[in-house]
Amino acid sequence: MDNYFDVLVIGAGPIGLACGIAAQKAGLSYIVLEKGCLVNSLYNYPLNMTFFSSSERLEIGDTPFVTTLPKPKRAEALEYYRRINGKFDLNTRLFEEVLEIQKDGELSIVITTKRQYIAQFVVVATGFYDIPMSLNVPGEDLPKVSHYYRDPHFFVNQHVVVVGASNSSVDAALETYRKGAKVTMVVRGPEIGPRVKYWVRPDIENRIALGEIDIYYLSQVTEIKEKSIIISTPNGTIEFENDFVLALTGYRPNFDFLRKIGIDVPHTAPMIPTHNPQTMETNVTGIYLAGVVCGGLNTHLWFIENSRVHADIIIQHILKRMSRCYANLEGKS
């Protein structure tokens, strides 16, 4: 059957591709499905983003990631993973979203936006970049509000409010400031986030100290209006004119999809999906998790560099299970 595979991987990010490579090397039939473009999450990163990790920590398939920079940029990573996909001639199907999975005994029937597949094993490597954490304030649905940041040129000569103090927030604040935007940061905590890239921290701290970027600590947005924004601060509530809001408050996995396919996900933080860390198998027999999705709301728990091993862990467990199955069949014969 052309729609049957030993392994079906959901998500063609770096870890999903690593799972495809591991399956291919093990001689298993496989397919990698992706609802967007190749390494879709990385594609949606800011255009000028620099990775925290060095290039060798982003490598998969025992293939060097060559760059002249100490830390690779988004464009280099996109090209690297595109070449990986081509080098291994991976069986990837792009712009095909998985809608549901139905169990039929030990098999999984995977229904997508384009067709239906049958798989003995399924690996969910869907990441966490698809669903932003909402501010839950009036006006958040206005066109001036975005939970993603791409390029600073759009914000030339505009008053931009950046909500958050993570790497993405700091990068957006610095880049839009340098394109002539009036930038105000709104930070829930008492300082810039502790995980901000060490080579960027002095830059943002100096801009704040010199008054070039305004910042409100221990504060939060309470309402967004078409031409202004309201912020609750330790010194009271303030309102000022504003053109755009970048609500870069983080993202989360698609818990609804995980629950829909039968994976147990707690309703309280950190909402880590149920899985065996020794095998990466979930509570649903034959369905595995790989990559950052394993951390639930702890989105800083897993990265490309420390979750690459999930691919080999999963495929080795699948091979052992298939070997036992074949042994049992031979015994019965």
Side-chain angles (χ1 to χ4, degrees):
M1 295 183 294
D2 65 353
N3 69 331
Y4 170 84
F5 298 94
D6 295 323
V7 181
L8 184 145
V9 182
I10 306 175
I15 306 306
L17 297 181
C19 290
I21 293 170
Q24 184 185 93
K25 288 183 175 180
L28 301 174
S29 62
Y30 72 94
I31 188 170
V32 182
L33 302 178
E34 169 59 56
K35 72 176 183 179
C37 65
L38 191 72
V39 287
N40 191 66
S41 292
L42 270 61
Y43 176 77
N44 286 307
Y45 282 176
L47 296 183
N48 301 317
M49 193 208 80
T50 299
F51 281 84
F52 192 92
S53 302
S54 55
S55 60
E56 65 269 14
R57 294 177 176 271
L58 303 177
E59 294 172 354
I60 59 176
D62 297 321
T63 303
F65 183 168
V66 180
T67 174
T68 59
L69 301 173
K71 310 283 186 180
K73 290 184 172 293
R74 166 190 171 275
E76 292 180 302
L78 291 179
E79 180 62 11
Y80 171 75
Y81 293 115
R82 183 190 71 81
R83 293 193 175 205
I84 286 287
N85 187 60
K87 171 185 175 180
F88 291 95
D89 193 21
L90 294 176
N91 186 21
T92 51
R93 305 280 177 87
L94 306 176
F95 302 101
E96 183 169 357
E97 183 178 3
V98 174
L99 301 176
E100 63 178 297
I101 299 175
Q102 301 171 357
K103 295 295 291 184
D104 183 5
E106 294 186 355
L107 297 176
S108 292
I109 300 173
V110 181
I111 300 169
T112 77
T113 51
K114 294 183 177 181
R115 61 181 303 182
Q116 183 172 293
Y117 302 91
I118 300 172
Q120 191 167 356
F121 302 97
V122 173
V123 181
V124 181
T126 49
F128 67 88
Y129 200 60
D130 291 328
I131 302 177
M133 303 289 284
S134 297
L135 297 174
N136 294 316
V137 300
E140 189 173 3
D141 58 346
L142 288 172
K144 66 185 277 187
V145 182
S146 176
H147 290 279
Y148 296 90
Y149 165 72
R150 294 281 286 163
D151 179 75
H153 178 82
F154 184 81
F155 302 101
V156 171
N157 295 336
Q158 302 300 295
H159 188 167
V160 180
V161 167
V162 179
V163 185
S166 63
N167 278 300
S168 57
S169 302
V170 169
D171 286 346
L174 288 171
E175 289 185 8
T176 53
Y177 155 73
R178 291 200 163 92
K179 292 298 182 181
K182 164 67 175 172
V183 179
T184 300
M185 297 186 71
V186 179
V187 179
R188 184 183 294 270
E191 60 182 0
I192 294 296
R195 296 188 181 90
V196 168
K197 291 171 280 197
Y198 63 84
W199 65 90
V200 174
R201 179 177 291 278
D203 192 1
I204 188 65
E205 290 178 342
N206 287 334
R207 303 291 74 72
I208 293 169
L210 293 172
E212 296 169 338
I213 291 178
D214 293 333
I215 192 164
Y216 291 95
Y217 294 112
L218 300 172
S219 303
Q220 53 188 329
V221 175
T222 57
E223 185 177 354
I224 302 169
K225 299 181 178 181
E226 287 190 7
K227 297 182 179 180
S228 65
I229 189 169
I230 301 175
I231 300 172
S232 174
T233 78
N235 297 319
T237 298
I238 60 172
E239 181 175 358
F240 54 85
E241 291 185 0
N242 157 258
D243 298 306
F244 293 97
V245 177
L246 292 172
L248 306 179
T249 51
Y251 310 91
R252 65 176 180 84
N254 189 339
F255 295 124
D256 290 340
F257 173 74
L258 296 179
R259 293 189 179 107
K260 184 178 180 180
I261 64 176
I263 298 174
D264 290 335
V265 181
H267 288 276
T268 56
M271 299 177 69
I272 295 177
T274 299
H275 67 284
N276 182 344
Q278 303 301 316
T279 65
M280 309 311 296
E281 189 173 24
T282 69
N283 57 284
V284 182
T285 301
I287 297 184
Y288 298 78
L289 296 180
V292 296
V293 69
C294 302
L297 292 177
N298 286 342
T299 53
H300 297 286
L301 183 62
W302 294 105
F303 304 90
I304 298 172
E305 61 188 68
N306 67 350
S307 63
R308 296 176 296 182
V309 297
H310 291 171
D312 288 332
I313 291 172
I314 292 169
I315 297 304
Q316 288 304 311
H317 187 254
I318 286 174
L319 289 174
K320 289 179 181 178
R321 177 166 288 173
M322 293 178 74
S323 178
R324 288 196 299 267
C325 179
Y326 293 145
N328 290 336
L329 289 174
E330 290 178 357
K332 291 179 180 179
S333 63

